[in-house]
């Protein structure tokens, strides 16, 4: 048997819609994209949803819309994919790296505040800290109530990196203590900007693609212009209304629009996103039930109801002090790969990547939690189209290796 780490879950509707786009003769941004944006905005409850060709593009446009410049500093997790920090560097602005929680792998208001205070005390002349970019890691929501409060206290803007978080729900910790029947609100407009990814292995896909959501009209206007060359009117208006050939360039914008071929896939993926999530949760539940009580294996520890989690990742930790024969994370990956089971490591933290490490003189001891997690973490196969016998095979293999 062969179990990949993840594969996309595409059906006949996606195929038919793509065919109809191809037959229409209009492949780039037009009606399918507009439809996808409308459906997406409605679903997550944001005023504006702007489709782009990646989450990295969405993050870039988000940081741009907030006026980042070389005197800007931005708080970002170290425990994330490089996109979260690279978009800060596009403006020659400075990323300030924040450690993660050892259980949720997210950044918290306490950790952000520590990094904020440390930066202020140790970097003179300090750049102006203007933005923070929390990541809802693996699909677990960050404690947004505390983070929003902290942002208010320091006058910071929030760009949520929600690449893992469609659909992730959120409710304040206090309200969860009062009742466990809480529905939670979808991640989509809690921060000033929320960025989603439709990369091939994410919870829903358009092949490549992303969405920037915001309730702020000025941000939406700026992003709309900057995602397409700084043209002052959308390509849709320009070609579909046929009113005028005239357009203006108001800034050196980017080429980040989403083609209709991709949006056609997205429209149907979005319709199934809750169903995908339910399937992922079922898989997660079976992992929880079957893999408990294995020495040295630490299962996900949630700070939210499991219904709130998108289950993009099912990331476990291997503690070699307690595992059979001192087996490590790397040993488990090797053994699973020998059995044709795909895994992944999310992530080698940014403070270990040569660019960030050298440029900002980062040391592992500055990020004790991310280090602890990184040395132990492995993400198990998780995708909505996973077959029962594939899941059984993964579980049996893990037991064989670790018991
Ligand atoms: C996948 C991912 C991105 C980038 O998404 P793209 O759509 O590939 O640009 C950004 N941040 C995180 C945390 C991701 O996992």
């Amino acid at each position: 048997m062969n179990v990949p780490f993840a594969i996309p879950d595409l059906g006949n509707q996606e195929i038919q819609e793509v065919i109809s786009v191809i037959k229409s003769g209009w492949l780039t941004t037009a009606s399918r994209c507009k439809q996808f944006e409308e459906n997406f905005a409605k679903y997550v409850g944001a005023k504006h949803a702007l489709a782009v060709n990646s989450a990295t593009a969405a993050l870039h446009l988000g940081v741009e819309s907030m006026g980042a410049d070389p005197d800007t500093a931005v708080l970002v997790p170290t425990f994330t994919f490089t996109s979260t920090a690279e978009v800060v560097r596009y403006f020659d602005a400075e990323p300030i790296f924040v450690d993660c929680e050892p259980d949720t792998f997210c950044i918290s208001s306490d950790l952000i505040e520590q990094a904020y205070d440390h930066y202020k005390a140790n970097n003179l002349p300090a750049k102006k800290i203007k933005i923070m970019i929390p990541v809802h890691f693996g699909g677990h929501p960050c404690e947004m109530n505390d983070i929003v409060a902290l942002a208010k206290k320091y006058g910071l803007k929030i760009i949520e990196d929600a690449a893992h978080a469609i659909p992730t729900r959120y409710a304040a910790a206090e309200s969860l203590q009062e009742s466990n029947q809480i529905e939670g609100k979808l991640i989509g407009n809690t921060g000033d900007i929320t960025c989603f990814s439709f990369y091939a292995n994410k919870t829903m896909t358009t092949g490549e693609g992303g969405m920037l959501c915001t309730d702020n009209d000025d941000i939406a206007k700026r992003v709309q212009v900057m995602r397409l060359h700084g043209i002052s009117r959308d390509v849709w208006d320009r070609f579909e209304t046929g009113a005028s050939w005239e357009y203006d360039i108001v800034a050196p914008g980017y080429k980040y629009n989403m083609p209709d071929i991709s949006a056609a896939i997205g429209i149907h993926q979005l319709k199934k996103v809750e169903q995908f999530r339910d399937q992922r949760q079922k898989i997660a539940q079976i992992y929880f039930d079957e893999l408990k009580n294995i020495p040295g294996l630490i299962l996900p520890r949630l700070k939210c109801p499991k219904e709130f989690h998108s289950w993009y990742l099912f990331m476990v930790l291997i503690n070699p002090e307690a595992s059979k024969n001192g087996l490590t994370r790397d040993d488990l990956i090797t053994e699973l790969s020998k059995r044709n089971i795909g895994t992944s490591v999310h992530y080698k933290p940014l403070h270990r990547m040569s660019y960030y490490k050298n440029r900002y003189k980062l040391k592992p001891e500055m990020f004790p939690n991310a280090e602890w997690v990184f040395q132990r973490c492995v993400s198990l196969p998780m995708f909505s189209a996973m077959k029962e016998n594939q899941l059984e095979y993964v579980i049996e293999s893990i037991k064989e290796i670790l018991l």
Side-chain angles (χ1 to χ4, degrees):
M1 178 145 358
N2 181 359
V3 187
F5 169 65
I7 44 166
D9 195 347
L10 299 164
N12 209 34
Q13 292 122 317
E14 285 89 334
I15 294 167
Q16 292 309 320
E17 193 83 33
V18 169
I19 290 173
S20 100
V21 169
I22 292 170
K23 286 185 173 164
S24 79
W26 192 288
L27 307 186
T28 186
T29 309
S31 67
R32 298 294 79 201
C33 190
K34 210 158 189 109
Q35 185 70 56
F36 183 34
E37 290 179 337
E38 279 172 22
N39 297 358
F40 200 92
K42 193 164 167 224
Y43 174 60
V44 301
K47 188 167 177 195
H48 305 279
L50 298 161
V52 287
N53 57 14
S54 71
T56 309
L59 290 163
H60 183 191
L61 292 167
V63 173
E64 199 278 340
S65 75
M66 288 171 177
D69 63 19
D71 290 323
T72 303
V74 181
L75 293 147
V76 299
T78 185
F79 205 58
T80 184
F81 186 60
T82 185
S83 297
T84 322
E86 77 185 50
V87 297
V88 174
R89 292 297 306 136
Y90 292 176
F91 298 92
D92 212 11
E94 183 165 343
I96 303 170
F97 294 92
V98 181
D99 202 2
C100 67
E101 293 187 315
D103 40 16
T104 67
F105 319 128
C106 292
I107 59 174
S108 66
S109 59
D110 285 350
L111 291 164
I112 298 168
E113 196 156 25
Q114 272 172 35
Y116 184 99
D117 290 343
H118 184 267
Y119 181 81
K120 284 271 182 172
N122 291 280
N123 294 272
L124 293 170
K127 299 187 178 206
K128 178 146 180 42
I129 308 175
K130 289 185 189 165
I131 306 166
M132 58 167 105
I133 313 183
V135 175
H136 302 293
F137 191 98
H140 188 295
C142 295
E143 224 325 331
M144 290 309 290
N145 244 36
D146 294 349
I147 290 178
V148 169
L150 187 74
K152 283 219 177 87
K153 177 173 162 190
Y154 291 124
L156 307 177
K157 297 283 184 210
I158 301 174
I159 301 176
E160 294 168 275
D161 180 337
H164 303 174
I166 177 82
T168 287
R169 289 175 185 273
Y170 167 75
E174 305 84 68
S175 58
L176 285 175
Q177 279 155 15
E178 288 157 20
S179 155
N180 50 16
Q181 297 290 306
I182 287 216
E183 267 239 340
K185 180 188 158 313
L186 277 175
I187 292 294
N189 67 345
T190 307
D192 298 280
I193 290 175
T194 308
C195 302
F196 296 94
S197 173
F198 312 128
Y199 180 68
N201 75 8
K202 298 283 157 72
T203 53
M204 62 169 276
T205 186
T206 61
E208 296 276 3
M211 192 72 82
L212 183 150
C213 292
T214 184
D215 283 355
N216 182 309
D217 296 340
D218 294 331
I219 290 175
K221 217 176 215 170
R222 178 71 181 178
V223 169
Q224 205 151 19
V225 166
M226 293 307 282
R227 74 172 161 179
L228 198 69
H229 303 299
I231 295 177
S232 66
R233 294 165 53 193
D234 216 33
V235 72
W236 168 257
D237 297 332
R238 201 149 62 85
F239 293 105
E240 287 301 306
T241 62
S244 170
W245 56 267
E246 175 86 38
Y247 67 91
D248 191 20
I249 300 297
V250 295
Y254 310 101
K255 174 65 174 154
Y256 282 166
N257 57 303
M258 174 183 280
D260 263 21
I261 291 191
S262 304
I265 301 172
I267 287 170
H268 294 284
Q269 288 276 292
L270 181 63
K271 287 182 188 159
K272 295 185 274 192
V273 81
E274 298 259 343
Q275 179 197 322
F276 287 162
R277 199 213 69 88
D278 291 351
Q279 283 162 272
R280 287 174 174 274
Q281 185 175 308
K282 271 189 202 141
I283 294 165
Q285 193 56 54
I286 295 170
Y287 274 140
F288 275 119
D289 292 344
E290 293 292 323
L291 298 178
K292 63 183 179 213
N293 303 327
I294 294 182
L297 185 70
I298 302 170
L299 298 176
R301 294 163 294 175
L302 274 54
K303 282 190 182 166
C304 68
K306 58 183 184 303
E307 290 75 18
F308 284 17
H309 204 300
S310 75
W311 295 110
Y312 171 57
L313 297 179
F314 193 89
M315 190 166 113
V316 300
L317 306 176
I318 303 296
N319 187 7
E321 282 100 69
S323 67
K324 183 175 95 176
N325 303 329
L327 207 111
T328 64
R329 181 269 312 276
D330 288 345
D331 296 333
L332 179 64
I333 291 173
T334 309
E335 284 301 316
L336 288 172
S337 136
K338 277 190 207 159
R339 292 163 175 81
N340 298 316
I341 295 171
T343 54
S344 193
V345 172
H346 297 89
Y347 294 93
K348 179 170 155 186
L350 297 181
H351 67 257
R352 280 179 169 253
M353 299 295 188
S354 18
Y355 174 72
Y356 299 110
K357 182 176 77 182
N358 297 337
R359 181 166 183 112
Y360 298 105
K361 309 203 167 27
L362 303 174
K363 298 201 170 56
E365 53 273 24
M366 296 159 78
F367 307 96
N369 296 346
E371 273 298 309
W372 185 84
V373 175
F374 166 61
Q375 286 168 24
R376 290 164 178 75
C377 66
V378 51
S379 302
L380 300 181
M382 171 59 91
F383 49 98
S384 49
M386 196 167 179
K387 302 244 178 11
E388 217 168 291
N389 62 352
Q390 290 181 308
L391 181 56
E392 274 167 20
Y393 178 63
V394 175
I395 287 163
E396 285 319 306
S397 302
I398 292 172
K399 286 181 176 168
E400 191 182 290
I401 298 161
L402 284 175
L403 277 179

